């Protein structure tokens, strides 16, 4: 044998044995694949067995295997060719006088014999059979080319936006006359407060924003000095609150003036680093929300200081300022703006409730009536406007899908760029090639697993219809709301399409937040009516029915069951409470501490757990509306301790903005239920 002869194939080695499955698939010749045959999957299992059963010499076994392999016939034709060769060898073995005419080690003779066998078997084929296999081979080739070219088809698709939704969102703000706009005054107040101290973990003993936001806190004196120092910009906030409209229009950071940027951010470079400059409306900053929340952190202790000084008129004016700030925040018809406005409404309720608990002598009958008038004119549900969110979602659709002119279209690479970014699957630090592969790959997966543009548009329309219906249902009929279930079913049905959750407004948690806001408003009206009754008639009423119609138009409803709020009169005064999330009457007792529960700390946190209507496992206890649970004073931590273990209190007066990219359900709901999140979240 020649020295440069190729080694024998795996399946013809001595002794012959079946090759592993992965090797059989790997070694299938391209010539067979081109003809639509995967012959080695069967041949290399069956042929060695058939040859072994023939009980021929090893050299003959190798020879027959090599010849049949070179024929490139179909698997069943190879089996017939093997049988013919075996019969021929058995014939020559039986006739020693007539040996095999070809040398077994002659490669040329093996090739000629394989060619002759192939020609004979091909001649036996039926013409229709030949064309069928050829068409199958072409079909496989066409499928392979389609798989390879499909990403190119997706990558070349480009969206064609036809509707400008930004004027729709800015319509209310743009309609406010220049002289009636409150945003310039808020902006000037923020600019005047740029030199205010910021939160510093290393100097907690000087951080009166976190440890002096309430008269019970140790740095309250420092906070009062700060309020006196910056009395002029704080008075400017009250002046802004008297104006009928906010007048802030959404626009990119590059289109904002320097004063607007510096009012909320440290500098323009920092602002541009926080928000992506793109054509997607979701990337526009809600800078006015960050500014309003910063001012609210100062107006709250200012109201407490006015109550401490006995200045009832000033206290009532600041409560009205919070109401005006709520309307100004919700002027942009976005759910997040409405939730921020609801948080200002909640602060006004907390101020009234806390003052009536700690300083009931501050407000006489006339001032109680004035404060009641402020709350009677409020409707927290009016702050919840979501048509701007749906406009932004439709803007995302037209910038992410192609348009075939009939309402349909496919996901584009640019659309998946938004999905990858908001899904935090990649960012600017990711290699550009990996980003491009992610964009194109996810667009291909979306095409096969998720709805088209027409289906997405129908989903948005249906969700908006259900959301409007659910908005009108009261809290005690929350189980009849369908929008949340419809949205969850959509996300579960479309794995990749479920990324649309980043672009649709959250309905379930926001509705619950506004339900609680309305319940708190009605509760504070009832508490004010109780105090007015006490001033006028010298004592607390036995039941809430005694307040109607002289002090209340109707009894406040319990969000748990729609019945009037529960009222109890004890030695410490009146107690007004709701049944809470568990739906049973516990006599006005807040939830008890539970081992290993994160909310088992102070009374305020445990009382807030009773508000979580709709939870699968509600806590046992009532939601006490009045008197609100007392909060323990904050303690200045040891400077040598872990700085991240310190309580945040009212939060530092840092600069920051608000963007529309954050649509997490729980933080938004928590902010609306009383807390005020840090700017820039």
């Amino acid at each position: 044998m020649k020295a440069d002869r190729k080694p024998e194939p795996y399946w013809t080695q001595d002794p012959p044995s079946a090759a592993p499955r992965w090797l059989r698939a790997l070694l299938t010749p391209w010539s067979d694949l081109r003809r639509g045959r995967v012959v080695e999957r069967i041949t290399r299992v069956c042929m060695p067995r058939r040859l072994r059963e023939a009980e021929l010499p090893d050299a003959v076994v190798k020879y027959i295997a090599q010849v049949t392999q070179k024929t490139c016939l179909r698997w069943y034709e190879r089996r017939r060719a093997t049988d013919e060769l075996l019969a021929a060898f058995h014939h020559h073995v039986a006739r020693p006088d007539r040996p095999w005419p070809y040398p077994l080690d002659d490669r040329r003779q093996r090739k000629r014999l394989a060619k002759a066998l192939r020609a004979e078997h091909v001649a036996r084929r039926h013409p229709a059979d030949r064309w069928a296999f050829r068409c199958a081979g072409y079909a496989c080739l066409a499928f392979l080319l389609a798989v390879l070219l499909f990403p190119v088809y997706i990558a070349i698709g480009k969206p064609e936006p036809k509707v400008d939704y930004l004027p729709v969102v800015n319509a209310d703000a743009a309609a406010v006359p220049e002289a009636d706009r409150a945003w310039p005054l808020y902006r000037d107040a923020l600019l005047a407060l740029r030199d205010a101290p910021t939160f510093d973990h290393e100097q907690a003993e000087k951080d009166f924003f976190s440890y002096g936001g309430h008269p019970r806190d140790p740095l309250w004196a420092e906070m009062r000095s700060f309020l006196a120092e910056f009395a002029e910009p704080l008075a400017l906030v009250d002046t802004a609150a008297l104006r009928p409209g906010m007048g802030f229009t959404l626009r990119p950071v590059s289109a904002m003036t320097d004063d607007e940027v510096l009012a909320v951010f440290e500098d323009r470079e920092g602002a541009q680093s926080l928000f992506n400059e793109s054509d997607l409306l979701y990337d526009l900053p809600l800078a006015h929300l960050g500014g309003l929340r910063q001012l609210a952190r100062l107006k709250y202790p200012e109201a407490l200081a006015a109550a401490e000084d006995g200045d009832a008129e000033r206290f009532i004016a600041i409560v009205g300022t919070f109401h005006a700030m709520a309307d100004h925040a919700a002027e942009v018809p976005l759910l997040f703006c409405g939730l921020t406005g609801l948080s200002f409404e909640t602060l006004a309720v907390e101020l009234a409730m806390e003052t009536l608990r700690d300083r009931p002598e501050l407000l006489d009958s006339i001032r109680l009536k004035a404060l009641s008038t402020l709350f009677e004119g409020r409707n927290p549900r009016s702050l919840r406007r979501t048509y701007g969110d749906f406009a932004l979602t439709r803007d995302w659709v037209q910038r992410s899908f192609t348009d075939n002119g009939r309402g349909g279209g496919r996901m584009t690479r640019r659309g998946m760029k938004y999905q990858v970014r908001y899904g935090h699957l990649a960012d600017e630090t990711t290699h550009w090639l990996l980003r491009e592969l992610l964009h194109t790959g996810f667009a291909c997966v979306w095409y096969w697993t998720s709805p088209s543009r027409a289906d997405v548009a129908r989903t948005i329309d249906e969700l908006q219809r259900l959301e409007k219906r659910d908005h009108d249902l009261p809290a005690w009929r929350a189980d009849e709301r369908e929008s949340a279930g419809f949205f969850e079913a959509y996300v579960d049905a479309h794995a990749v399409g479920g990324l649309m959750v980043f672009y649709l407004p959250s309905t379930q948690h926001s509705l619950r937040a506004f339900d609680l806001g309305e319940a708190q408003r009605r509760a504070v009206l009832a508490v004010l009516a109780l105090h007015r009754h006490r001033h006028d008639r010298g004592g607390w009423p036995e039941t809430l029915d005694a307040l109607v119609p002289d002090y209340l138009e109707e009894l406040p409803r319990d969000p748990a069951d729609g019945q009037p709020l529960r009222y109890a009169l004890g030695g410490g005064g009146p107690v007004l409470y709701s049944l809470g999330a568990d739906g049973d009457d516990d006599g006005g007792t807040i939830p008890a501490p539970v081992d290993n529960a994160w909310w088992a700390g102070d009374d305020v946190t445990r009382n807030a757990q009773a508000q979580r209507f709709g939870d699968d496992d509600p806590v046992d206890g009532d939601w006490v509306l009045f008197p609100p649970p007392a909060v323990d004073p904050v303690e200045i931590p040891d400077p040598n301790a872990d700085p991240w273990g310190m309580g945040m209190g009212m939060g530092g007066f840092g600069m920051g903005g608000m963007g529309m990219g954050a649509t997490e359900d729980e933080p938004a709901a928590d902010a609306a239920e009383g807390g005020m999140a840090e700017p820039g979240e």
Side-chain angles (χ1 to χ4, degrees):
M1 299 178 67
K2 297 181 180 180
D4 59 347
R5 186 172 181 177
K6 295 182 180 179
E8 298 293 343
Y10 177 88
W11 57 89
T12 60
Q13 291 180 3
D14 189 18
S17 61
R21 183 177 300 175
W22 63 269
L23 187 59
R24 296 198 305 271
L26 183 64
L27 297 180
T28 300
W30 167 247
S31 59
D32 289 335
L33 289 174
R34 184 165 48 85
R35 292 178 174 85
R37 301 190 295 269
V38 188
V39 296
E40 301 304 332
R41 295 181 183 274
I42 299 177
T43 305
R44 288 167 188 156
V45 174
C46 299
M47 187 180 296
R49 187 184 304 116
R50 297 171 67 84
L51 293 175
R52 287 196 298 271
E53 293 173 355
E55 297 181 356
L56 293 173
D58 294 342
V60 175
V61 170
K62 292 182 181 181
Y63 182 80
I64 295 175
Q66 293 168 354
V67 170
T68 53
Q69 178 65 25
K70 289 181 179 297
T71 59
C72 296
L73 293 170
R74 298 166 185 166
W75 66 271
Y76 57 89
E77 293 174 338
R78 290 191 186 188
R79 295 184 64 177
R80 288 202 298 262
T82 301
D83 293 338
E84 293 173 0
L85 288 175
L86 287 173
F89 270 103
H90 280 296
H91 175 72
H92 287 284
V93 170
R95 298 284 300 276
D97 56 325
R98 298 185 63 181
W100 183 256
Y102 308 113
L104 296 181
D105 58 350
D106 191 341
R107 298 177 59 188
R108 292 184 178 180
Q109 289 297 335
R110 289 200 304 268
K111 189 173 182 180
R112 290 171 186 165
L113 179 58
K115 187 175 181 180
L117 285 172
R118 174 174 176 78
E120 181 179 355
H121 283 272
V122 170
R124 298 178 190 174
R125 296 175 182 172
H126 193 278
D129 183 52
R130 181 168 61 252
W131 280 103
F133 274 88
R134 183 170 296 179
C135 291
Y138 288 145
C140 293
L141 181 60
F143 176 76
L144 182 62
L145 290 176
V147 171
L148 295 177
L149 294 178
F150 182 72
V152 179
Y153 169 73
I154 293 296
I156 62 177
K158 292 184 179 180
E160 299 178 359
K162 298 180 180 179
V163 181
D164 186 5
Y165 287 99
L166 186 57
V168 176
V169 180
N170 286 332
D172 293 343
V176 179
E178 289 288 342
D180 294 338
R181 296 186 176 184
W183 170 241
L185 298 181
Y186 287 130
R187 179 196 61 203
D188 294 343
L190 290 168
L191 289 173
L193 292 168
R194 278 185 58 84
D195 297 332
T198 57
F199 184 81
D200 188 354
H201 286 300
E202 297 180 357
Q203 295 183 350
E205 67 278 2
K206 298 181 181 180
D207 183 19
F208 50 86
F209 284 98
S210 295
Y211 305 103
H214 196 278
R216 62 176 174 265
D217 294 337
L219 298 183
W220 174 245
E222 287 79 356
M223 171 60 79
R224 296 211 51 165
S225 299
F226 176 86
L227 295 176
E229 179 181 358
F230 290 93
E232 184 175 349
L234 292 177
L236 199 59
V237 176
D238 296 326
T239 304
L242 298 177
R243 296 196 172 182
M246 183 68 170
F248 179 85
T249 57
L250 298 184
R251 53 196 181 277
V253 175
S254 57
M256 297 173 63
T257 64
D258 291 339
D259 287 344
E260 290 177 322
V261 173
L262 295 178
V264 184
F265 306 99
E266 289 290 346
D267 49 41
R268 185 174 293 274
E269 290 74 14
Q272 291 176 341
S273 65
L274 292 174
F275 301 99
N276 300 299
E277 291 284 344
S278 72
D279 54 358
L280 196 64
L281 297 186
Y282 276 98
D283 291 329
L284 297 179
L286 298 174
H288 66 302
L289 296 186
L292 289 177
R293 291 166 68 167
Q294 292 172 22
L295 295 174
R297 293 189 182 92
L298 292 177
K299 298 302 292 184
Y300 191 90
E302 184 185 9
L304 296 177
E308 187 179 48
D309 296 338
D311 191 348
E313 298 296 337
R314 180 65 181 151
F315 175 83
I316 295 175
I318 295 176
V319 172
T321 297
F322 275 112
H323 289 159
M325 292 174 68
D327 292 334
H328 291 162
E331 184 179 76
V332 178
L334 297 175
L335 180 59
F336 206 82
C337 296
L339 288 170
T340 304
L342 182 62
S343 68
F344 298 152
E345 292 279 350
T346 305
L347 287 178
V349 171
E350 290 178 356
L351 282 173
M353 290 289 200
E354 186 174 346
T355 302
L356 292 173
R357 181 196 64 192
D358 299 337
R359 306 179 190 278
E361 71 283 353
L362 176 68
L363 303 172
D364 56 18
S365 182
I366 297 177
R367 292 185 175 87
L368 286 171
K369 175 60 177 177
L371 196 57
S372 297
T373 303
L374 287 179
F375 285 101
E376 286 173 356
R378 304 302 302 168
N379 182 13
R381 285 180 174 271
S382 65
L383 303 176
R384 188 180 184 275
R385 301 191 298 164
T386 59
Y387 71 87
D389 296 272
F390 287 101
L392 265 60
T393 304
R394 291 185 174 92
D395 177 74
W396 164 76
V397 171
Q398 71 172 356
R399 297 181 186 278
S400 300
F401 290 82
T402 59
D403 187 0
N404 60 9
R406 300 182 300 274
R410 67 182 188 275
M411 174 61 70
T412 63
R413 196 176 123 275
R414 180 182 297 180
M416 288 313 304
K417 177 181 179 181
Y418 302 140
Q419 299 277 33
V420 168
R421 187 178 69 201
Y422 282 111
H424 302 288
L425 301 177
D427 53 23
E428 297 301 327
T429 61
T430 307
H431 194 275
W432 69 269
L433 180 59
L434 179 58
R435 290 202 309 270
E436 295 300 324
L437 290 176
L438 284 173
H439 300 160
T440 305
F442 275 108
C444 296
V445 176
W446 180 292
Y447 184 89
W448 294 109
T449 63
S450 296
S452 64
R453 173 173 179 162
D455 295 331
V456 172
R458 284 193 294 269
T459 300
I460 295 173
D461 294 339
E462 179 64 13
L463 183 62
Q464 187 173 17
R465 184 187 68 82
L466 294 175
E467 191 272 338
K468 289 181 180 178
R469 174 185 175 275
D470 294 348
H471 177 80
D472 298 331
L473 292 176
W476 51 89
R477 295 176 59 188
D479 55 343
E480 301 179 21
R481 292 170 177 166
E482 302 177 7
S483 57
F486 174 82
F487 181 73
E488 292 173 0
Y490 171 83
V491 174
D492 293 340
H494 305 96
V496 179
L499 292 176
M500 245 178 66
V501 69
F502 300 122
Y503 306 98
L504 288 174
S506 170
T507 57
Q508 182 179 15
H509 294 286
S510 64
L511 284 170
R512 185 186 68 184
F514 284 92
D515 289 341
L516 298 178
E518 177 62 19
Q520 289 176 318
R521 184 189 74 89
R522 293 182 179 274
V524 75
L525 285 174
V527 174
L528 288 170
L530 289 171
H531 282 77
R532 290 171 60 196
H533 183 281
R534 183 190 180 194
H535 274 278
D536 296 344
R537 305 184 183 182
W540 304 109
E542 294 295 330
T543 63
L544 292 180
D545 295 330
L547 301 176
V548 180
D550 295 337
Y551 301 100
L552 287 177
E553 294 182 0
E554 60 179 359
L555 295 179
R557 297 271 188 109
D558 191 332
D561 59 358
Q563 300 299 317
L565 287 173
R566 275 60 180 179
Y567 171 73
L569 187 59
V575 177
L576 192 66
Y577 63 95
S578 164
L579 296 182
D582 61 347
D584 57 11
D585 193 343
D586 296 301
T589 304
I590 65 174
V594 177
D595 294 339
N596 301 323
W598 66 268
W599 49 267
D602 55 42
D603 293 346
V604 176
T605 306
R606 287 188 279 115
N607 189 44
Q609 292 306 303
Q611 306 174 8
R612 304 184 67 86
F613 297 96
D615 280 6
D616 296 333
D617 187 19
V619 299
D620 183 24
D622 296 330
W623 175 26
V624 178
L625 292 160
F626 185 84
V631 180
D632 297 332
V634 296
E635 297 181 359
I636 300 178
D638 185 358
N640 299 322
D642 181 12
W644 297 107
M646 297 190 299
M648 290 295 293
M650 288 289 293
F653 191 76
M655 298 296 173
M658 195 73 61
M660 285 177 285
T663 58
E664 294 294 334
D665 293 345
E666 288 301 332
D670 292 342
E673 291 171 13
M676 296 190 59
E678 291 295 319
E681 283 184 353

